[in-house]
């Protein structure tokens, strides 16, 4: 009854049946954020995707080891080989310590991770903590695959077979984004170690055989993934932009490393599957941290939206489709989330006692044993959906079908819903409908005041004192609170 897990491999541009490299295990590496600024909600889409992938692997009964890195050094203002280090630039502009900047934005990113119910990976790898390993890696490939220029140590992409096959579009001419560096052998060659220029000082720099300097961004991910997960590991993830430069460069380094170190790796790419989420876009185009309103998760929260409404918005689209952000879309996702939570609350009211939830989390096999046999066909449909390249839009409709069934034992439905939510990660059984009320940060009135006014209004209406009841309603309206008599979802009030 279990559907094979099929995942889209960007390397082959095909759906492939997932076969773990190590029996019953799945090892996954996700490129993490560059912590020079807050992540925008588009960045967070990448981690919601990686989380759903991880949850699906766990659902399939695989022992998951997930690693996400924190890039606190080396990512230049251009993904290719141009520009300044993003963190050095931010530190210089704000006259702040680079270490403080990295710490602040790493914590902000972790707060978003928690708010979106993204599971903690087995390990967060911090790039600056892996510099000795990066040096070892670079030394082992330097002779055969690299050459030194004024600026540092460069990787020669012509020394590995099939460079750029992941991107497919990359040519030796590059795409006009690759820095013209005097002496580069091929346009696509990139620095794996950048020497600090004589007239500059960097806050972050280390000694190396190629001079004092800092590692290249691509080197970091090759080293952290290979160190923790071992080459080859199962799946490497990132946003679709990484398919063009960052991941082809990682693959080139992995090939070089595996060849020099005698590792026999299928396709030599380091990971068997390379998976990429598509972009979250704004109507005006690509999401950015500088243009217009900076869409960070906290802005959504400040406007009164529960962060899990954004998670649901992500799940409503397939991860390989572009998703357009709009406030209307987010509002619709919030309403959908409310309906799910209201249904669960009604079931909870009918059900006495505990809801079955295995301590070590749900696997499909466990669910098959514990969920009432009446729901097994729905559970199978759910499994088919997530097993077909993480089709969360369909999986959500299966959950809704389950919750719409009438006259079922409430405990049984809750058990089945809990099993499905193990993959979706909406935390449905822990959410309270009051949590989902639209409640902007700058509201002029507190929740206690509103509840108090509504209680007085209710009492007045019981007394048929409509003058008082209308006056209370107007008073609330003046403070921006809309009283929602007769609302289809049974909501009493809303702010803003
Ligand atoms: P960065 O902090 O720039 O290294 O990006 C962190 C992650 O977010 C990477 O996996 C990017 O590919 C991904 N990403 C960047 N912009 C978007 C976007 N608009 N939508 C989805 N993913 C994105
Ligand atoms: Zn990376």
């Amino acid at each position: 009854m279990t559907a094979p897990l099929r995942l889209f491999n960007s390397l082959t541009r095909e759906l492939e049946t997932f076969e773990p490299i190590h029996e019953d295990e799945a090892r996954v590496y996700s490129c993490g954020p560059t912590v020079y600024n807050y992540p925008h909600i588009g960045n967070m889409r990448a981690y919601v995707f990686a989380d759903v992938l991880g949850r699906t692997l766990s659902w399939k009964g695989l022992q998951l080891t997930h690693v996400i890195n924190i890039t606190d050094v080396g990512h230049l203002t251009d993904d290719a080989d141009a520009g300044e280090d993003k963190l050095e630039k931010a530190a210089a502009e704000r006259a702040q310590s680079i270490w403080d900047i990295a710490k602040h934005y790493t914590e902000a990113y972790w707060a978003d991770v928690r708010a979106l119910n993204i599971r903690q990976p087995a390990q967060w790898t911090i790039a600056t903590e892996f510099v000795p390993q990066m040096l070892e890696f670079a030394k082992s490939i330097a002779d055969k695959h690299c050459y030194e220029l004024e600026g540092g140590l460069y990787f020669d992409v012509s020394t590995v077979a099939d460079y750029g096959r992941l991107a497919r579009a990359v040519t030796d001419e590059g795409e006009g984004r690759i820095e013209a560096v005097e002496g580069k052998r091929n346009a696509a060659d990139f620095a794996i170690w950048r020497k600090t220029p004589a007239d500059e000082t960097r806050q972050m720099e280390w000694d190396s055989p190629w001079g004092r300097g800092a590692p290249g961004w691509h080197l970091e991910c090759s080293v952290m993934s290979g160190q923790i997960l071992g080459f080859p590991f199962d799946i490497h993830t990132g946003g679709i932009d990484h398919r063009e430069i960052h991941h082809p460069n990682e693959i080139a380094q992995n090939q070089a490393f595996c060849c020099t170190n005698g590792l026999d790796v299928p396709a030599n790419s380091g990971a068997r599957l390379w998976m990429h989420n598509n972009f979250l876009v704004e109507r005006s185009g690509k999401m950015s941290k500088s243009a217009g309103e900076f869409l960070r998760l906290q802005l959504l929260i400040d406007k009164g939206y529960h962060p899990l409404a954004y998670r649901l918005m992500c799940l409503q689209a397939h991860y390989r489709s572009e998703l357009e952000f709009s406030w209307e879309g987010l509002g619709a996702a919030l309403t959908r989330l409310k309906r799910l939570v209201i249904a669960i609350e009604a079931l909870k009211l009918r059900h006495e006692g505990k809801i079955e939830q295995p301590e070590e989390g749900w696997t499909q096999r466990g669910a098959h044993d514990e969920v009432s046999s009446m729901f097994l066909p729905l559970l199978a449909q759910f499994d088919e959906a997530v097993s077909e390249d993480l089709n969360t839009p369909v999986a959500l409709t299966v959950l809704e079908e389950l919750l719409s069934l009438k006259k079922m034992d409430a405990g049984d439905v809750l058990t089945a819903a809990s099993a499905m939510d193990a993959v979706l990660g909406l935390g449905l059984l822990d959410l309270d409908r009051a949590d989902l009320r639209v409640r902007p940060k700058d509201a002029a009135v507190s929740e206690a005041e509103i509840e108090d006014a509504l209680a007085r209004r209710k009492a007045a209406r019981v007394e048929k004192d409509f003058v008082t009841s209308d006056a209370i309603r107007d008073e609330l309206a003046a403070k921006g609170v809309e009283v929602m008599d007769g609302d289809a979802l049974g909501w009493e009030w809303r702010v803003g």
Side-chain angles (χ1 to χ4, degrees):
M1 282 274 282
T2 110
L5 176 59
R6 300 195 333 135
L7 299 170
F8 187 83
N9 188 355
S10 298
L11 265 179
T12 56
R13 302 287 204 271
E14 275 174 10
L15 281 172
E16 292 177 10
T17 303
F18 180 73
E19 301 285 353
I21 290 171
H22 305 87
E23 207 179 336
D24 298 331
E25 267 194 59
R27 302 187 185 182
V28 181
Y29 181 88
S30 300
C31 284
T34 308
V35 287
Y36 71 107
N37 201 340
Y38 295 107
H40 58 53
I41 54 174
N43 298 128
M44 295 315 293
R45 186 184 186 200
Y47 305 106
V48 170
F49 150 65
D51 183 53
V52 171
L53 172 66
R55 286 170 178 271
T56 303
L57 293 163
S58 301
W59 168 253
K60 289 299 196 184
L62 297 154
Q63 181 68 42
L64 174 72
T65 308
H66 190 193
V67 173
I68 309 180
N69 76 287
I70 301 288
T71 296
D72 54 356
V73 66
H75 192 170
L76 304 188
T77 44
D78 190 295
D79 275 3
D81 214 23
E84 299 167 69
D85 184 294
K86 287 188 178 189
L87 271 119
E88 291 280 352
K89 182 165 178 265
E93 280 167 5
R94 296 176 222 166
Q96 258 182 310
S97 140
I98 204 165
W99 300 96
D100 289 347
I101 289 183
K103 184 167 180 288
H104 177 78
Y105 293 113
T106 302
E107 277 164 11
Y109 164 68
W110 281 337
D112 286 1
V113 162
R114 286 190 297 273
L116 290 169
N117 238 358
I118 292 168
R119 295 194 307 183
Q120 290 291 314
Q123 195 170 339
W124 296 104
T125 52
I126 317 278
T128 47
E129 292 175 3
F130 282 80
V131 175
Q133 291 92 325
M134 292 177 203
L135 288 169
E136 286 312 306
F137 186 109
K139 276 192 234 163
S140 80
I141 62 171
D143 282 354
K144 280 200 186 141
H145 299 275
C146 306
Y147 57 94
E148 229 182 307
L149 292 178
E150 173 87 25
L153 187 68
Y154 279 75
F155 189 95
D156 180 342
V157 298
S158 69
T159 62
V160 291
D162 235 356
Y163 171 77
R165 69 188 182 281
L166 177 69
R168 297 199 172 175
V170 169
T171 63
D172 194 48
E173 302 306 315
E175 292 176 326
R177 302 167 59 195
I178 294 174
E179 195 178 32
V181 172
E182 178 123 10
K184 261 210 246 192
R185 294 180 188 163
N186 314 283
D189 290 354
F190 53 94
I192 67 173
W193 187 267
R194 295 176 77 88
K195 245 192 277 183
T196 308
D199 55 346
E200 272 180 38
T201 46
R202 276 185 184 152
Q203 290 194 41
M204 280 181 178
E205 53 178 14
W206 295 261
D207 285 326
S208 86
W210 316 283
R212 226 173 142 65
W217 174 44
H218 318 301
L219 179 66
E220 299 171 6
C221 283
S222 280
V223 170
M224 292 184 279
S225 61
Q227 278 275 323
I228 311 289
L229 301 175
F231 290 136
F233 56 93
D234 295 294
I235 307 176
H236 195 309
T237 81
I240 191 118
D241 50 335
H242 288 349
R243 208 178 64 180
E244 310 309 318
I245 294 171
H246 182 47
H247 290 171
N249 289 353
E250 269 189 57
I251 289 175
Q253 294 168 153
N254 297 353
Q255 281 175 266
F257 182 83
C258 291
C259 288
T260 9
N261 291 280
L263 291 169
D264 182 21
V265 175
N268 283 330
S269 78
R272 198 174 265 179
L273 273 98
W274 292 76
M275 293 179 71
H276 298 96
N277 63 278
N278 211 323
F279 270 149
L280 180 78
V281 295
E282 289 180 84
R283 190 153 302 172
S284 53
K286 195 181 155 199
M287 187 150 294
S288 96
K289 298 181 188 188
S290 47
E293 199 169 42
F294 178 8
L295 283 170
R296 13 174 328 216
L297 194 64
Q298 191 57 46
L299 178 70
L300 275 49
I301 298 169
D302 288 349
K303 290 200 181 213
Y305 296 90
H306 195 281
L308 290 172
Y310 175 64
R311 181 176 177 109
L312 181 62
M313 191 179 184
C314 292
L315 301 184
Q316 290 182 151
H318 190 263
Y319 75 89
R320 280 195 288 124
S321 308
E322 218 172 63
L323 171 61
E324 186 177 302
F325 178 80
S326 69
W327 293 103
E328 297 74 33
L330 183 65
L334 179 65
T335 301
R336 194 172 182 192
L337 183 62
K338 280 178 182 171
R339 286 185 195 278
L340 291 168
V341 170
I342 287 170
I344 300 263
E345 265 186 7
L347 289 163
K348 280 191 196 156
L349 278 178
R350 285 208 281 126
H351 174 69
E352 280 157 21
K354 258 182 68 218
I355 301 156
E356 292 302 328
Q357 295 198 67
E359 227 164 76
E360 60 292 353
W362 285 104
T363 61
Q364 190 197 359
R365 188 167 300 157
H368 192 271
D369 293 345
E370 294 211 31
V371 167
S372 161
S373 59
M374 210 180 318
F375 300 131
L376 290 183
L378 273 182
L379 209 62
Q381 271 183 39
F382 180 88
D383 176 58
E384 267 166 39
V386 294
S387 302
E388 192 63 9
D389 200 25
L390 316 178
N391 198 337
T392 50
V394 171
L396 274 169
T397 63
V398 179
L399 170 66
E400 283 167 332
E401 200 177 327
L402 169 79
L403 293 176
S404 70
L405 295 175
K406 302 278 182 269
K407 300 201 177 117
M408 296 289 164
D409 178 86
D412 288 347
V413 180
L414 286 169
T415 304
S418 151
M420 292 182 187
D421 197 38
V423 180
L424 299 172
L426 290 166
L428 291 175
L429 278 88
D430 302 320
L431 273 178
D432 213 55
R433 80 194 205 110
D435 297 336
L436 300 180
R437 239 183 216 129
V438 174
R439 195 168 25 194
K441 189 174 131 209
D442 54 5
V445 54
S446 80
E447 217 164 307
E449 274 174 77
I450 300 173
E451 293 294 349
D452 178 61
L454 285 180
R456 284 188 286 114
R457 177 166 177 263
K458 207 166 164 187
R461 280 162 69 112
V462 169
E463 298 294 321
K464 302 218 178 322
D465 178 359
F466 296 113
V467 176
T468 306
S469 109
D470 286 352
I472 296 174
R473 184 194 185 107
D474 293 346
E475 247 170 59
L476 286 171
K479 291 178 182 162
V481 181
E482 183 192 346
V483 177
M484 299 164 77
D485 292 334
D487 176 60
L489 293 180
W491 239 248
E492 292 101 3
W493 55 266
R494 154 171 79 200
V495 178

